[in-house]
Structures are given as C-alpha cells and as structure tokens.
Amino acid sequence: MALNIEKIAKSKISDVDFSNLKFGEIFTDHMFECDYKDGEWQTPQIRPYQPIAFDPSAKVFHYGQAVFEGMKAYKDKNDDIWLFRPDQNQERINKSAERLDMPAFPKEFFFEGLNELLKLDSQWVQKGEGDSLYIRPFVIATENCVSASASTNYKFMIICAPVQAYYAGEVRVVFADKYSRSANGGVGFAKAAGNYAASFYPARLAAEQGYQQVVWTDASTHEYLEEAGTMNVFFRVNDTLITAPTSDRILDGVTRKSLIQLAEDEGIKVEVRPVSRQEIVEAAKKGELKEMFGAGTAAVISIIQGFADQDQKFELPVMEDSYALRLKTRLTGIQQNKLEDKFNWTYKVR
C-alpha cells in the first residue's frame, strides 16, 4: 500500500503534563487521513495534527453521516506497543458505515495506517499503570451539497490522545422510562455520531436529578434494560452475571464480548438474555442484586453504586468477591501484556 508520510517539524510532547490529562483533550503529533472520491479510496497519508477545512455545505453537517470507533494502545515494560482486538474495531467501523450507506474502508489501509501512525507517535504511548493512548478512527461525509441523499465523498481519519486511568467517581444511574437511545430497525448497533448526540439531553436531565448516567430501556415498552450511558451493562444476581443480547438496538461492544469470554473461562455463570427492570428491582429488594457495572473502551469497567427506578432508589453492596474488579484486573492485564493472552486478542505494533 502506498502511504504518504509528512513528519512534524518539532514535537509538542515536551509541553504535555502526562500526570494531569483530561480525557480526549490533548492529541499526538500526527494524524492519518484518506479521502474517498470518484468511487474509490485515494492514497492515504499521515501528516502533522492540524485543523481541517470543510465547505459549509459538507453533508456531514446536514445529514449526520458520521461513524467512529474507540480503541487503545498500551506500552509494556519492554517498550513494545500493543493493541487489543483491533480486528473487531476494523470490522465494526465498516459495519457502522454500511448502515449509514458509507463505503467500507480497506482493511490493509486501516492496519498499515494505524501501525505507521503509532510508530511515528510511539513516545506518546506512556508506560505506566493506567496509562494508554486512546485511538479514534472516524469517517465523515464531505460532499459539498445539501441534497438529502448519501454523500459521494468521504474522509477517513485516525487521531490519538494520551489518557490516564479513567475515573468518574461514584456512579449512580436511573432507568429510562421516557427517552430511548435506539429503536428496532434503527442504528443503535452502529457507532453513529447521532446516537450519542441524542443521548446528551436525557443524560443532562438525569444529572440534574443527581445521577451520573441513564440505563437505557427498549423503545417499545421501556421494560427491558439495554445499555448504561455509552456502555454495555452487566448485572450480577447472586452468582450469575447477566447482560442483554446484542441486536439492532445494542452495540456489540468489544469489551462486552471479552468480559463474557473471561467470565466463562473463570467458571462464572453467564446469561445473555433480555433483562427486565422488574427483575432487577425485585433482585435488589431481595438482596440478590450483588453488582451492576458498565463496560466499554474508555473505563473498561465502571462500577455502579446505586440505581433508581421511577420513585424507588437502591444502593448496591460493596462485594469482597467483586466480579467487576476481578474481570477488570484480568482484562487490563491482558491488554497491557502483563498476563497471558490465551485468546490471541492482543496485536503487537511492528
């Protein structure tokens, strides 16, 4: 694959305080980009990170054709850089793109571009507990036209941000009973930008009531619990771990599927099935609801301390044998090349 590379004249890394990073605000020296026009992807390039200009009529602004991914790179004690299941992200961004009638991005472009970008900006991948490089691939519609139809031109990009261990403080959630994240036949399974934009208002309403996130329910009946904020959600009832099945409403999370496999490998009983709010409320009343947590790339696992269902509020116990902490320790150990990867999930940047 031909790849044009323009290196930065002087790195800005010396100006960065890596001990005091806000998530997703500081970006590395370079970015990867590739344009789609005349029915094909053009020669990709890596160039210094910088603003990009668009015509006001670019279709992404008017019809929301935009999809993205979230990944992380880790540096081990030998200064080797590792990715976690990048094949899953590569496949999913194309699945998301297809749903929004956008062209698939070639696998070889994705991996070679990502490899070269990470090699160029390898110093930005910090070596330390909880340190990683967040990677954001995305595709946007760039045709200059406001007709209501799919764009003919697109831009694929990858940008990277150094991040520390994600900590959001104590998390309490409220079960949604009015607003929905997605609907049958919609784009809930895709990482479409509009999914997240539509979630911000209900999340703000929840925050005004003292809750850090919303647990989304099915759009038809609001009876089944599906996702927690921007994460997949797990419930531990007694010693069984339960999570909703993926569908056209629920994102097929890479962290989610990895946790399911790890739990089963450790002998934890896992049930992938619809989870009703009534079931979880009843389990909480009986003292059978031991844990609830969200799972996603940014935080890996976010433990939920309490929840509200309409006018009922519940606090969860602090578990000595926490499945969440046990699974998070093993998963992050694999990601950081500290523990055995028996599943062949990790990918070494060469």
Side-chain angles (χ1 to χ4, degrees), residues 6 13 22 24 34 40 52 64 66 114 117 142 172 205 219 221 233 243 292 294 299 345:
E6 177 191 350
I13 195 169
K22 289 187 178 180
C34 187
E40 60 183 6
I52 50 179
L114 185 54
L117 181 62
T142 57
R172 287 174 177 78
L205 296 180
T221 67
V233 63
T243 192
M292 186 188 306
W345 284 339

Side-chain angles (χ1 to χ4, degrees), residues 237 278-289:
V237 177
Q278 182 180 357
E279 174 188 0
I280 296 305
V281 166
E282 289 304 313
K285 288 179 178 178
K286 295 176 182 177
E288 297 175 350
L289 181 64

Side-chain angles (χ1 to χ4, degrees), residues 165-334:
Y166 191 93
Y167 178 70
E170 291 195 351
V171 176
R172 287 174 177 78
V173 299
V174 59
F175 293 173
D177 55 16
K178 178 180 179 182
Y179 296 102
S180 302
R181 177 188 172 274
S182 59
N184 292 335
V187 295
F189 70 90
K191 285 190 75 72
N195 289 349
Y196 298 81
S199 74
F200 296 155
Y201 177 66
R204 179 169 66 80
L205 296 180
E208 290 172 355
Q209 298 175 47
Y211 300 101
Q212 284 68 46
Q213 269 301 351
V214 176
V215 172
W216 302 106
T217 51
D218 70 289
S220 301
T221 67
H222 293 293
E223 284 302 313
Y224 291 94
L225 306 169
E226 299 194 329
E227 293 196 6
T230 59
M231 310 177 83
N232 295 113
V233 63
F234 286 80
F235 307 90
R236 175 184 175 183
V237 177
N238 290 322
D239 292 331
T240 300
L241 201 57
I242 309 170
T243 192
T246 56
S247 66
D248 54 13
R249 301 187 309 275
I250 298 176
L251 186 72
D252 185 13
V254 178
T255 305
R256 171 192 176 277
K257 66 177 71 176
S258 304
L259 291 175
I260 291 172
Q261 199 162 346
L262 284 177
E264 292 175 337
D265 187 64
E266 298 215 351
I268 296 171
K269 183 180 179 182
V270 180
E271 294 182 359
V272 179
R273 59 170 175 78
V275 187
S276 74
R277 62 197 303 162
Q278 182 180 357
E279 174 188 0
I280 296 305
V281 166
E282 289 304 313
K285 288 179 178 178
K286 295 176 182 177
E288 297 175 350
L289 181 64
K290 307 300 185 184
E291 294 181 81
M292 186 188 306
F293 58 88
T297 299
V300 183
I301 284 179
S302 181
I303 295 173
I304 296 168
Q305 280 85 11
F307 72 95
D309 179 61
Q310 296 176 335
D311 59 350
Q312 303 179 89
K313 296 183 179 181
F314 301 91
E315 289 293 304
L316 299 183
V318 176
M319 299 295 296
E320 288 186 14
D321 174 30
S322 167
Y323 286 179
L325 294 178
R326 182 169 150 195
L327 294 172
K328 182 175 184 178
T329 297
R330 188 169 173 201
L331 184 59
T332 55
I334 293 171

Side-chain angles (χ1 to χ4, degrees), residues 83-123:
L83 296 169
F84 183 72
R85 307 188 75 174
D87 56 314
Q88 299 294 306
N89 299 99
Q90 185 271 327
E91 291 173 9
R92 191 171 62 183
I93 197 168
N94 282 342
K95 185 179 177 183
S96 297
E98 180 182 28
R99 180 61 182 82
L100 271 68
D101 200 19
M102 304 166 80
F105 192 66
K107 183 176 182 178
E108 63 273 20
F109 281 24
F110 182 94
F111 276 98
E112 185 166 344
L114 185 54
N115 263 284
E116 292 301 319
L117 181 62
L118 291 174
K119 285 195 290 185
L120 268 181
D121 287 342
S122 62
Q123 296 303 309

